[in-house]
Amino acid sequence: MDSTTTPNPFALSQAVKLISDSDLFNLRRTIVITNGKGGVGKTSVTTNLATLLAEAGYKVLIVDMDSQGNVAINLGFSDDERNNQGKALHHAVTYNEVPVPLKDIRPGLDVLTGGPFTNQLIDAIHGDTLRGGKMRGCIARALAKIANNYDLILIDTPPSDAGFVFVDEAMLAARWILAPLRPEPKSINGLYSLASRIEQVQSANPYIRLLGVILFGVPSGATRVEKRPRDILGERLGGIAPTFSAKIRNVVAADADASFRGQAAHELAADVLKQGPFWERLRSGASATPVLAGSASSLAEDYMSLATEIIDELKAQEEAFDAEAGEK
Ligand SMILES: Nc1ncnc2c1ncn2[C@@H]1O[C@H](COP(=O)(O)OP(=O)(O)OP(=O)(O)O)[C@@H](O)[C@H]1O
Ligand SMILES: [Mg+2]
């Protein structure tokens, strides 16, 4: 065979698109919540935004890519027999089938769960990377099959100890990134490694963009604690994306109540109101001490402001994106 007809395998691998344009288009409303660090509020932000947006009428899918399966705990279905602990996504990726999420965990909210099966998926992807990476883009290809059923898909990611290869798979499946971080230097530094990882996935997913940064676990009333990180972030982000002015305050009692009850903050806040005022409880002979943390309403307000800002930013960035695409 002469050299002009012999395909160059390297050129071929460059030419074959990892994720097709139509899949990337289908995934245009997919948001990955990540920043590499652990315990920065990724799961809390995911479940609270998803439940609020579902309540507002959006059709939402959460994809839990963390084997801790904390989405199920936050939403109160970890012990439900329907919880397949990551099996649905694992199955869809392994057999190239259409993923089947758990339907209506709340009205309008479906979930592809995480759990022990997610670990099997992580192992398979890591193993495949050593053998040449044929699976690369597998989460994107799987989610693209169902993306058109949803207005928004939110992907919760594991902390970096699960390995960057797996988190990169989540980034390959998304157009937008939300990066929650705590207002402290180590957490802010996590954003540097996120920036370099965005560059790495951009060769296969050129459309991925940072939607914004969320300050999480901000102590109430400590303006200085908040101002410094905001200034640093403003400088480092250089206008690429905002640090949302809505923040998630540190409210341990409300968070504990919400987690134990498997509720989003606004659901807990609604139950707090049902407790009735102090004098009514006293008169009815119930304990005068409230059973549920009153701070739930502050937390709920934080998430509502954040959800509003995120949707506004998403629409603005989508318009800018479309205008840019139109110019090309
Ligand atoms: N508003 C809040 N105030 C105080 N603590 C909170 C608040 N919201 C969540 N928490 C707690 O902070 C911890 C980290 O939150 P979360 O699990 O959402 O972070 P994560 O980034 O998903 O963590 P991981 O990296 O382990 O997946 C959890 O123990 C959670 O219960
Ligand atoms: Mg988490």
Side-chain angles (χ1 to χ4, degrees), residues 36-45 48 66 68 70 74 156-160 180 182 216-218 248-256 259 299 302-303:
K37 287 274 166 193
V40 292
K42 298 181 294 294
T43 307
S44 305
V45 165
N48 277 284
D66 189 346
Q68 298 179 94
N70 287 345
N74 279 12
D156 184 24
T157 54
S160 49
R182 290 185 182 265
F216 177 84
V218 181
I248 306 305
R249 278 172 284 189
N250 188 55
V251 269
V252 177
D255 170 63
S259 304
L299 190 56
D302 287 352
Y303 278 113

PDB file of all heavy atoms in Angstrom, residues 36-45 48 66 68 70 74 156-160 180 182 216-218 248-256 259 299 302-303, ligand 1:
ATOM      1  N   GLY A  36     -12.980  21.227  42.250  1.00  0.00           N
ATOM      2  CA  GLY A  36     -11.861  20.365  42.638  1.00  0.00           C
ATOM      3  C   GLY A  36     -11.754  20.141  44.136  1.00  0.00           C
ATOM      4  O   GLY A  36     -11.313  19.098  44.581  1.00  0.00           O
ATOM      5  N   LYS A  37     -12.173  21.097  44.919  1.00  0.00           N
ATOM      6  CA  LYS A  37     -12.030  20.988  46.372  1.00  0.00           C
ATOM      7  C   LYS A  37     -13.161  20.182  46.994  1.00  0.00           C
ATOM      8  O   LYS A  37     -14.264  20.132  46.461  1.00  0.00           O
ATOM      9  CB  LYS A  37     -12.043  22.392  46.988  1.00  0.00           C
ATOM     10  CG  LYS A  37     -10.768  23.144  46.729  1.00  0.00           C
ATOM     11  CD  LYS A  37      -9.743  22.815  47.779  1.00  0.00           C
ATOM     12  CE  LYS A  37      -8.361  23.275  47.354  1.00  0.00           C
ATOM     13  NZ  LYS A  37      -7.312  22.728  48.175  1.00  0.00           N
ATOM     14  N   GLY A  38     -12.901  19.637  48.176  1.00  0.00           N
ATOM     15  CA  GLY A  38     -13.948  18.939  48.917  1.00  0.00           C
ATOM     16  C   GLY A  38     -14.626  19.871  49.914  1.00  0.00           C
ATOM     17  O   GLY A  38     -14.016  20.835  50.385  1.00  0.00           O
ATOM     18  N   GLY A  39     -15.880  19.600  50.198  1.00  0.00           N
ATOM     19  CA  GLY A  39     -16.607  20.323  51.244  1.00  0.00           C
ATOM     20  C   GLY A  39     -16.827  21.798  50.982  1.00  0.00           C
ATOM     21  O   GLY A  39     -16.868  22.603  51.913  1.00  0.00           O
ATOM     22  N   VAL A  40     -16.973  22.185  49.721  1.00  0.00           N
ATOM     23  CA  VAL A  40     -17.167  23.606  49.409  1.00  0.00           C
ATOM     24  C   VAL A  40     -18.613  23.936  49.033  1.00  0.00           C
ATOM     25  O   VAL A  40     -18.903  25.047  48.586  1.00  0.00           O
ATOM     26  CB  VAL A  40     -16.224  24.079  48.279  1.00  0.00           C
ATOM     27  CG1 VAL A  40     -14.776  24.082  48.743  1.00  0.00           C
ATOM     28  CG2 VAL A  40     -16.386  23.211  47.039  1.00  0.00           C
ATOM     29  N   GLY A  41     -19.497  22.947  49.195  1.00  0.00           N
ATOM     30  CA  GLY A  41     -20.911  23.220  48.958  1.00  0.00           C
ATOM     31  C   GLY A  41     -21.437  22.752  47.609  1.00  0.00           C
ATOM     32  O   GLY A  41     -22.556  23.125  47.219  1.00  0.00           O
ATOM     33  N   LYS A  42     -20.682  21.914  46.917  1.00  0.00           N
ATOM     34  CA  LYS A  42     -21.121  21.488  45.573  1.00  0.00           C
ATOM     35  C   LYS A  42     -22.494  20.804  45.630  1.00  0.00           C
ATOM     36  O   LYS A  42     -23.410  21.141  44.881  1.00  0.00           O
ATOM     37  CB  LYS A  42     -20.096  20.506  44.958  1.00  0.00           C
ATOM     38  CG  LYS A  42     -18.710  21.102  44.753  1.00  0.00           C
ATOM     39  CD  LYS A  42     -17.744  20.112  44.134  1.00  0.00           C
ATOM     40  CE  LYS A  42     -17.415  18.918  45.017  1.00  0.00           C
ATOM     41  NZ  LYS A  42     -16.665  19.241  46.246  1.00  0.00           N
ATOM     42  N   THR A  43     -22.618  19.836  46.548  1.00  0.00           N
ATOM     43  CA  THR A  43     -23.875  19.077  46.597  1.00  0.00           C
ATOM     44  C   THR A  43     -25.022  19.937  47.123  1.00  0.00           C
ATOM     45  O   THR A  43     -26.142  19.878  46.597  1.00  0.00           O
ATOM     46  CB  THR A  43     -23.696  17.811  47.462  1.00  0.00           C
ATOM     47  OG1 THR A  43     -22.555  17.096  46.974  1.00  0.00           O
ATOM     48  CG2 THR A  43     -24.905  16.917  47.400  1.00  0.00           C
ATOM     49  N   SER A  44     -24.750  20.745  48.143  1.00  0.00           N
ATOM     50  CA  SER A  44     -25.809  21.598  48.697  1.00  0.00           C
ATOM     51  C   SER A  44     -26.325  22.563  47.632  1.00  0.00           C
ATOM     52  O   SER A  44     -27.537  22.770  47.492  1.00  0.00           O
ATOM     53  CB  SER A  44     -25.284  22.410  49.892  1.00  0.00           C
ATOM     54  OG  SER A  44     -24.732  21.557  50.850  1.00  0.00           O
ATOM     55  N   VAL A  45     -25.395  23.159  46.880  1.00  0.00           N
ATOM     56  CA  VAL A  45     -25.797  24.086  45.817  1.00  0.00           C
ATOM     57  C   VAL A  45     -26.611  23.337  44.751  1.00  0.00           C
ATOM     58  O   VAL A  45     -27.665  23.797  44.315  1.00  0.00           O
ATOM     59  CB  VAL A  45     -24.549  24.773  45.193  1.00  0.00           C
ATOM     60  CG1 VAL A  45     -24.881  25.445  43.879  1.00  0.00           C
ATOM     61  CG2 VAL A  45     -23.955  25.776  46.179  1.00  0.00           C
ATOM     62  N   ASN A  48     -30.193  22.283  46.187  1.00  0.00           N
ATOM     63  CA  ASN A  48     -31.064  23.428  46.472  1.00  0.00           C
ATOM     64  C   ASN A  48     -31.473  24.153  45.198  1.00  0.00           C
ATOM     65  O   ASN A  48     -32.640  24.522  45.035  1.00  0.00           O
ATOM     66  CB  ASN A  48     -30.383  24.390  47.449  1.00  0.00           C
ATOM     67  CG  ASN A  48     -30.565  23.940  48.891  1.00  0.00           C
ATOM     68  OD1 ASN A  48     -31.640  24.100  49.467  1.00  0.00           O
ATOM     69  ND2 ASN A  48     -29.541  23.319  49.449  1.00  0.00           N
ATOM     70  N   ASP A  66     -20.963  11.518  42.172  1.00  0.00           N
ATOM     71  CA  ASP A  66     -20.151  11.274  43.366  1.00  0.00           C
ATOM     72  C   ASP A  66     -20.599   9.971  44.022  1.00  0.00           C
ATOM     73  O   ASP A  66     -21.794   9.808  44.309  1.00  0.00           O
ATOM     74  CB  ASP A  66     -20.328  12.456  44.331  1.00  0.00           C
ATOM     75  CG  ASP A  66     -19.362  12.398  45.498  1.00  0.00           C
ATOM     76  OD1 ASP A  66     -18.739  11.333  45.711  1.00  0.00           O
ATOM     77  OD2 ASP A  66     -19.232  13.414  46.200  1.00  0.00           O
ATOM     78  N   GLN A  68     -20.272   9.096  46.939  1.00  0.00           N
ATOM     79  CA  GLN A  68     -20.822   9.302  48.290  1.00  0.00           C
ATOM     80  C   GLN A  68     -22.351   9.301  48.258  1.00  0.00           C
ATOM     81  O   GLN A  68     -22.994   9.087  49.276  1.00  0.00           O
ATOM     82  CB  GLN A  68     -20.361  10.651  48.864  1.00  0.00           C
ATOM     83  CG  GLN A  68     -18.861  10.804  49.054  1.00  0.00           C
ATOM     84  CD  GLN A  68     -18.503  12.191  49.597  1.00  0.00           C
ATOM     85  OE1 GLN A  68     -18.368  12.380  50.793  1.00  0.00           O
ATOM     86  NE2 GLN A  68     -18.345  13.161  48.711  1.00  0.00           N
ATOM     87  N   ASN A  70     -24.446  11.735  48.030  1.00  0.00           N
ATOM     88  CA  ASN A  70     -25.032  12.720  48.951  1.00  0.00           C
ATOM     89  C   ASN A  70     -26.264  13.437  48.403  1.00  0.00           C
ATOM     90  O   ASN A  70     -27.056  13.986  49.175  1.00  0.00           O
ATOM     91  CB  ASN A  70     -23.975  13.758  49.354  1.00  0.00           C
ATOM     92  CG  ASN A  70     -22.956  13.169  50.311  1.00  0.00           C
ATOM     93  OD1 ASN A  70     -23.186  12.097  50.878  1.00  0.00           O
ATOM     94  ND2 ASN A  70     -21.835  13.847  50.496  1.00  0.00           N
ATOM     95  N   ASN A  74     -29.419  14.524  50.674  1.00  0.00           N
ATOM     96  CA  ASN A  74     -29.978  15.886  50.718  1.00  0.00           C
ATOM     97  C   ASN A  74     -31.446  15.920  50.294  1.00  0.00           C
ATOM     98  O   ASN A  74     -32.207  16.752  50.777  1.00  0.00           O
ATOM     99  CB  ASN A  74     -29.189  16.809  49.785  1.00  0.00           C
ATOM    100  CG  ASN A  74     -27.895  17.302  50.420  1.00  0.00           C
ATOM    101  OD1 ASN A  74     -27.489  16.792  51.456  1.00  0.00           O
ATOM    102  ND2 ASN A  74     -27.253  18.274  49.794  1.00  0.00           N
ATOM    103  N   ASP A 156     -23.506  17.134  39.754  1.00  0.00           N
ATOM    104  CA  ASP A 156     -22.727  17.254  40.987  1.00  0.00           C
ATOM    105  C   ASP A 156     -21.485  16.373  40.848  1.00  0.00           C
ATOM    106  O   ASP A 156     -21.587  15.222  40.405  1.00  0.00           O
ATOM    107  CB  ASP A 156     -23.566  16.794  42.184  1.00  0.00           C
ATOM    108  CG  ASP A 156     -22.825  16.985  43.503  1.00  0.00           C
ATOM    109  OD1 ASP A 156     -21.921  17.844  43.572  1.00  0.00           O
ATOM    110  OD2 ASP A 156     -23.158  16.272  44.479  1.00  0.00           O
ATOM    111  N   THR A 157     -20.338  16.921  41.222  1.00  0.00           N
ATOM    112  CA  THR A 157     -19.082  16.196  41.020  1.00  0.00           C
ATOM    113  C   THR A 157     -18.439  15.830  42.356  1.00  0.00           C
ATOM    114  O   THR A 157     -18.687  16.476  43.378  1.00  0.00           O
ATOM    115  CB  THR A 157     -18.081  17.060  40.227  1.00  0.00           C
ATOM    116  OG1 THR A 157     -17.928  18.307  40.902  1.00  0.00           O
ATOM    117  CG2 THR A 157     -18.553  17.274  38.806  1.00  0.00           C
ATOM    118  N   PRO A 158     -17.583  14.799  42.338  1.00  0.00           N
ATOM    119  CA  PRO A 158     -16.894  14.425  43.573  1.00  0.00           C
ATOM    120  C   PRO A 158     -15.738  15.371  43.860  1.00  0.00           C
ATOM    121  O   PRO A 158     -15.286  16.085  42.957  1.00  0.00           O
ATOM    122  CB  PRO A 158     -16.360  13.023  43.253  1.00  0.00           C
ATOM    123  CG  PRO A 158     -16.247  12.985  41.772  1.00  0.00           C
ATOM    124  CD  PRO A 158     -17.268  13.919  41.219  1.00  0.00           C
ATOM    125  N   PRO A 159     -15.232  15.356  45.106  1.00  0.00           N
ATOM    126  CA  PRO A 159     -14.006  16.118  45.368  1.00  0.00           C
ATOM    127  C   PRO A 159     -12.852  15.508  44.566  1.00  0.00           C
ATOM    128  O   PRO A 159     -12.968  14.390  44.062  1.00  0.00           O
ATOM    129  CB  PRO A 159     -13.780  15.935  46.874  1.00  0.00           C
ATOM    130  CG  PRO A 159     -14.634  14.786  47.286  1.00  0.00           C
ATOM    131  CD  PRO A 159     -15.738  14.679  46.295  1.00  0.00           C
ATOM    132  N   SER A 160     -11.742  16.228  44.467  1.00  0.00           N
ATOM    133  CA  SER A 160     -10.691  15.826  43.530  1.00  0.00           C
ATOM    134  C   SER A 160     -10.071  14.466  43.849  1.00  0.00           C
ATOM    135  O   SER A 160      -9.445  13.863  42.984  1.00  0.00           O
ATOM    136  CB  SER A 160      -9.606  16.888  43.461  1.00  0.00           C
ATOM    137  OG  SER A 160      -9.220  17.226  44.762  1.00  0.00           O
ATOM    138  N   PRO A 180     -18.502  26.667  43.358  1.00  0.00           N
ATOM    139  CA  PRO A 180     -18.674  27.169  44.723  1.00  0.00           C
ATOM    140  C   PRO A 180     -17.338  27.138  45.455  1.00  0.00           C
ATOM    141  O   PRO A 180     -16.526  26.250  45.218  1.00  0.00           O
ATOM    142  CB  PRO A 180     -19.652  26.162  45.355  1.00  0.00           C
ATOM    143  CG  PRO A 180     -19.649  24.957  44.496  1.00  0.00           C
ATOM    144  CD  PRO A 180     -18.936  25.276  43.207  1.00  0.00           C
ATOM    145  N   ARG A 182     -15.368  28.330  49.436  1.00  0.00           N
ATOM    146  CA  ARG A 182     -15.443  28.978  50.741  1.00  0.00           C
ATOM    147  C   ARG A 182     -14.539  30.206  50.725  1.00  0.00           C
ATOM    148  O   ARG A 182     -13.518  30.203  50.026  1.00  0.00           O
ATOM    149  CB  ARG A 182     -15.007  27.999  51.837  1.00  0.00           C
ATOM    150  CG  ARG A 182     -16.005  26.875  52.045  1.00  0.00           C
ATOM    151  CD  ARG A 182     -15.622  25.994  53.222  1.00  0.00           C
ATOM    152  NE  ARG A 182     -16.560  24.892  53.375  1.00  0.00           N
ATOM    153  CZ  ARG A 182     -17.611  24.913  54.185  1.00  0.00           C
ATOM    154  NH1 ARG A 182     -17.872  25.985  54.924  1.00  0.00           N
ATOM    155  NH2 ARG A 182     -18.405  23.870  54.272  1.00  0.00           N
ATOM    156  N   PHE A 216     -19.649  30.294  49.439  1.00  0.00           N
ATOM    157  CA  PHE A 216     -20.417  29.320  50.224  1.00  0.00           C
ATOM    158  C   PHE A 216     -19.896  29.293  51.668  1.00  0.00           C
ATOM    159  O   PHE A 216     -18.686  29.352  51.906  1.00  0.00           O
ATOM    160  CB  PHE A 216     -20.246  27.929  49.598  1.00  0.00           C
ATOM    161  CG  PHE A 216     -20.920  26.834  50.363  1.00  0.00           C
ATOM    162  CD1 PHE A 216     -22.271  26.572  50.179  1.00  0.00           C
ATOM    163  CD2 PHE A 216     -20.213  26.063  51.277  1.00  0.00           C
ATOM    164  CE1 PHE A 216     -22.898  25.560  50.890  1.00  0.00           C
ATOM    165  CE2 PHE A 216     -20.840  25.044  51.989  1.00  0.00           C
ATOM    166  CZ  PHE A 216     -22.177  24.797  51.791  1.00  0.00           C
ATOM    167  N   GLY A 217     -20.834  29.195  52.615  1.00  0.00           N
ATOM    168  CA  GLY A 217     -20.436  29.088  54.025  1.00  0.00           C
ATOM    169  C   GLY A 217     -19.867  30.388  54.561  1.00  0.00           C
ATOM    170  O   GLY A 217     -18.925  30.388  55.359  1.00  0.00           O
ATOM    171  N   VAL A 218     -20.449  31.502  54.124  1.00  0.00           N
ATOM    172  CA  VAL A 218     -19.959  32.820  54.555  1.00  0.00           C
ATOM    173  C   VAL A 218     -20.518  33.125  55.952  1.00  0.00           C
ATOM    174  O   VAL A 218     -21.735  33.057  56.159  1.00  0.00           O
ATOM    175  CB  VAL A 218     -20.419  33.920  53.564  1.00  0.00           C
ATOM    176  CG1 VAL A 218     -19.897  35.281  53.986  1.00  0.00           C
ATOM    177  CG2 VAL A 218     -19.973  33.581  52.151  1.00  0.00           C
ATOM    178  N   ILE A 248     -24.109  32.013  50.041  1.00  0.00           N
ATOM    179  CA  ILE A 248     -24.748  31.058  50.943  1.00  0.00           C
ATOM    180  C   ILE A 248     -24.124  31.221  52.325  1.00  0.00           C
ATOM    181  O   ILE A 248     -22.928  30.968  52.516  1.00  0.00           O
ATOM    182  CB  ILE A 248     -24.596  29.603  50.426  1.00  0.00           C
ATOM    183  CG1 ILE A 248     -25.112  29.499  48.980  1.00  0.00           C
ATOM    184  CG2 ILE A 248     -25.327  28.635  51.356  1.00  0.00           C
ATOM    185  CD1 ILE A 248     -26.549  29.969  48.756  1.00  0.00           C
ATOM    186  N   ARG A 249     -24.953  31.674  53.255  1.00  0.00           N
ATOM    187  CA  ARG A 249     -24.428  31.914  54.597  1.00  0.00           C
ATOM    188  C   ARG A 249     -24.165  30.627  55.359  1.00  0.00           C
ATOM    189  O   ARG A 249     -24.779  29.598  55.081  1.00  0.00           O
ATOM    190  CB  ARG A 249     -25.416  32.781  55.391  1.00  0.00           C
ATOM    191  CG  ARG A 249     -25.267  34.242  55.068  1.00  0.00           C
ATOM    192  CD  ARG A 249     -26.354  35.054  55.691  1.00  0.00           C
ATOM    193  NE  ARG A 249     -27.621  34.908  54.944  1.00  0.00           N
ATOM    194  CZ  ARG A 249     -28.706  35.640  55.169  1.00  0.00           C
ATOM    195  NH1 ARG A 249     -28.689  36.558  56.111  1.00  0.00           N
ATOM    196  NH2 ARG A 249     -29.800  35.454  54.463  1.00  0.00           N
ATOM    197  N   ASN A 250     -23.276  30.715  56.339  1.00  0.00           N
ATOM    198  CA  ASN A 250     -22.978  29.580  57.201  1.00  0.00           C
ATOM    199  C   ASN A 250     -24.067  29.498  58.270  1.00  0.00           C
ATOM    200  O   ASN A 250     -24.111  30.329  59.175  1.00  0.00           O
ATOM    201  CB  ASN A 250     -21.601  29.813  57.845  1.00  0.00           C
ATOM    202  CG  ASN A 250     -21.142  28.598  58.604  1.00  0.00           C
ATOM    203  OD1 ASN A 250     -21.085  27.502  58.054  1.00  0.00           O
ATOM    204  ND2 ASN A 250     -20.832  28.779  59.876  1.00  0.00           N
ATOM    205  N   VAL A 251     -24.987  28.550  58.117  1.00  0.00           N
ATOM    206  CA  VAL A 251     -26.053  28.373  59.108  1.00  0.00           C
ATOM    207  C   VAL A 251     -26.147  26.881  59.450  1.00  0.00           C
ATOM    208  O   VAL A 251     -26.892  26.138  58.827  1.00  0.00           O
ATOM    209  CB  VAL A 251     -27.421  28.925  58.629  1.00  0.00           C
ATOM    210  CG1 VAL A 251     -27.603  30.366  59.028  1.00  0.00           C
ATOM    211  CG2 VAL A 251     -27.594  28.801  57.134  1.00  0.00           C
ATOM    212  N   VAL A 252     -25.336  26.536  60.442  1.00  0.00           N
ATOM    213  CA  VAL A 252     -25.144  25.119  60.759  1.00  0.00           C
ATOM    214  C   VAL A 252     -26.454  24.434  61.172  1.00  0.00           C
ATOM    215  O   VAL A 252     -26.759  23.328  60.709  1.00  0.00           O
ATOM    216  CB  VAL A 252     -24.078  24.982  61.870  1.00  0.00           C
ATOM    217  CG1 VAL A 252     -23.902  23.533  62.286  1.00  0.00           C
ATOM    218  CG2 VAL A 252     -22.760  25.559  61.370  1.00  0.00           C
ATOM    219  N   ALA A 253     -27.247  25.100  62.021  1.00  0.00           N
ATOM    220  CA  ALA A 253     -28.457  24.452  62.549  1.00  0.00           C
ATOM    221  C   ALA A 253     -29.450  24.143  61.422  1.00  0.00           C
ATOM    222  O   ALA A 253     -29.977  23.029  61.329  1.00  0.00           O
ATOM    223  CB  ALA A 253     -29.110  25.348  63.598  1.00  0.00           C
ATOM    224  N   ALA A 254     -29.676  25.115  60.561  1.00  0.00           N
ATOM    225  CA  ALA A 254     -30.634  24.890  59.463  1.00  0.00           C
ATOM    226  C   ALA A 254     -30.111  23.829  58.516  1.00  0.00           C
ATOM    227  O   ALA A 254     -30.864  22.969  58.055  1.00  0.00           O
ATOM    228  CB  ALA A 254     -30.885  26.200  58.709  1.00  0.00           C
ATOM    229  N   ASP A 255     -28.798  23.847  58.258  1.00  0.00           N
ATOM    230  CA  ASP A 255     -28.231  22.837  57.358  1.00  0.00           C
ATOM    231  C   ASP A 255     -28.404  21.436  57.952  1.00  0.00           C
ATOM    232  O   ASP A 255     -28.755  20.491  57.246  1.00  0.00           O
ATOM    233  CB  ASP A 255     -26.746  23.115  57.098  1.00  0.00           C
ATOM    234  CG  ASP A 255     -26.090  21.949  56.382  1.00  0.00           C
ATOM    235  OD1 ASP A 255     -26.505  21.662  55.250  1.00  0.00           O
ATOM    236  OD2 ASP A 255     -25.208  21.303  56.976  1.00  0.00           O
ATOM    237  N   ALA A 256     -28.176  21.335  59.270  1.00  0.00           N
ATOM    238  CA  ALA A 256     -28.305  20.014  59.915  1.00  0.00           C
ATOM    239  C   ALA A 256     -29.754  19.530  59.823  1.00  0.00           C
ATOM    240  O   ALA A 256     -30.017  18.376  59.457  1.00  0.00           O
ATOM    241  CB  ALA A 256     -27.865  20.110  61.374  1.00  0.00           C
ATOM    242  N   SER A 259     -30.498  18.452  56.234  1.00  0.00           N
ATOM    243  CA  SER A 259     -29.857  17.176  55.865  1.00  0.00           C
ATOM    244  C   SER A 259     -30.576  16.002  56.510  1.00  0.00           C
ATOM    245  O   SER A 259     -30.867  15.011  55.853  1.00  0.00           O
ATOM    246  CB  SER A 259     -28.395  17.129  56.313  1.00  0.00           C
ATOM    247  OG  SER A 259     -27.696  18.197  55.794  1.00  0.00           O
ATOM    248  N   LEU A 299     -31.452  30.817  55.025  1.00  0.00           N
ATOM    249  CA  LEU A 299     -30.769  29.944  54.062  1.00  0.00           C
ATOM    250  C   LEU A 299     -31.596  29.830  52.769  1.00  0.00           C
ATOM    251  O   LEU A 299     -31.058  29.897  51.668  1.00  0.00           O
ATOM    252  CB  LEU A 299     -30.554  28.567  54.705  1.00  0.00           C
ATOM    253  CG  LEU A 299     -29.656  27.590  53.963  1.00  0.00           C
ATOM    254  CD1 LEU A 299     -28.279  28.187  53.698  1.00  0.00           C
ATOM    255  CD2 LEU A 299     -29.512  26.284  54.757  1.00  0.00           C
ATOM    256  N   ASP A 302     -31.178  32.882  50.742  1.00  0.00           N
ATOM    257  CA  ASP A 302     -29.882  32.887  50.042  1.00  0.00           C
ATOM    258  C   ASP A 302     -29.976  32.090  48.746  1.00  0.00           C
ATOM    259  O   ASP A 302     -29.519  32.533  47.692  1.00  0.00           O
ATOM    260  CB  ASP A 302     -28.785  32.258  50.918  1.00  0.00           C
ATOM    261  CG  ASP A 302     -28.381  33.163  52.070  1.00  0.00           C
ATOM    262  OD1 ASP A 302     -28.834  34.316  52.096  1.00  0.00           O
ATOM    263  OD2 ASP A 302     -27.618  32.701  52.945  1.00  0.00           O
ATOM    264  N   TYR A 303     -30.565  30.897  48.838  1.00  0.00           N
ATOM    265  CA  TYR A 303     -30.647  30.058  47.640  1.00  0.00           C
ATOM    266  C   TYR A 303     -31.588  30.652  46.596  1.00  0.00           C
ATOM    267  O   TYR A 303     -31.344  30.530  45.394  1.00  0.00           O
ATOM    268  CB  TYR A 303     -31.054  28.624  48.001  1.00  0.00           C
ATOM    269  CG  TYR A 303     -29.868  27.803  48.475  1.00  0.00           C
ATOM    270  CD1 TYR A 303     -29.776  27.357  49.788  1.00  0.00           C
ATOM    271  CD2 TYR A 303     -28.830  27.490  47.596  1.00  0.00           C
ATOM    272  CE1 TYR A 303     -28.681  26.615  50.218  1.00  0.00           C
ATOM    273  CE2 TYR A 303     -27.734  26.753  48.017  1.00  0.00           C
ATOM    274  CZ  TYR A 303     -27.662  26.320  49.328  1.00  0.00           C
ATOM    275  OH  TYR A 303     -26.578  25.592  49.742  1.00  0.00           O
TER     276      TYR A 303
HETATM  277  N1  LIG B   1     -25.353  26.854  54.724  1.00  0.00           N
HETATM  278  C1  LIG B   1     -24.574  25.989  55.374  1.00  0.00           C
HETATM  279  N2  LIG B   1     -24.011  26.324  56.549  1.00  0.00           N
HETATM  280  C2  LIG B   1     -23.197  25.466  57.209  1.00  0.00           C
HETATM  281  N3  LIG B   1     -22.869  24.237  56.764  1.00  0.00           N
HETATM  282  C3  LIG B   1     -23.391  23.845  55.597  1.00  0.00           C
HETATM  283  C4  LIG B   1     -24.274  24.685  54.856  1.00  0.00           C
HETATM  284  N4  LIG B   1     -24.661  24.012  53.748  1.00  0.00           N
HETATM  285  C5  LIG B   1     -24.048  22.817  53.788  1.00  0.00           C
HETATM  286  N5  LIG B   1     -23.290  22.696  54.892  1.00  0.00           N
HETATM  287  C6  LIG B   1     -22.453  21.558  55.270  1.00  0.00           C
HETATM  288  O1  LIG B   1     -21.154  21.760  54.710  1.00  0.00           O
HETATM  289  C7  LIG B   1     -20.578  20.512  54.332  1.00  0.00           C
HETATM  290  C8  LIG B   1     -20.138  20.575  52.873  1.00  0.00           C
HETATM  291  O2  LIG B   1     -21.286  20.775  52.059  1.00  0.00           O
HETATM  292  P1  LIG B   1     -21.495  19.896  50.744  1.00  0.00           P
HETATM  293  O3  LIG B   1     -21.610  18.455  51.079  1.00  0.00           O
HETATM  294  O4  LIG B   1     -22.593  20.535  50.003  1.00  0.00           O
HETATM  295  O5  LIG B   1     -20.093  20.172  50.026  1.00  0.00           O
HETATM  296  P2  LIG B   1     -19.438  19.331  48.836  1.00  0.00           P
HETATM  297  O6  LIG B   1     -18.535  20.270  48.120  1.00  0.00           O
HETATM  298  O7  LIG B   1     -20.475  18.658  48.045  1.00  0.00           O
HETATM  299  O8  LIG B   1     -18.594  18.242  49.636  1.00  0.00           O
HETATM  300  P3  LIG B   1     -17.869  16.947  48.997  1.00  0.00           P
HETATM  301  O9  LIG B   1     -16.633  17.473  48.342  1.00  0.00           O
HETATM  302  O10 LIG B   1     -17.591  16.052  50.162  1.00  0.00           O
HETATM  303  O11 LIG B   1     -18.819  16.339  48.020  1.00  0.00           O
HETATM  304  C9  LIG B   1     -21.618  19.436  54.605  1.00  0.00           C
HETATM  305  O12 LIG B   1     -21.329  18.837  55.844  1.00  0.00           O
HETATM  306  C10 LIG B   1     -22.914  20.228  54.683  1.00  0.00           C
HETATM  307  O13 LIG B   1     -23.870  19.577  55.496  1.00  0.00           O
END
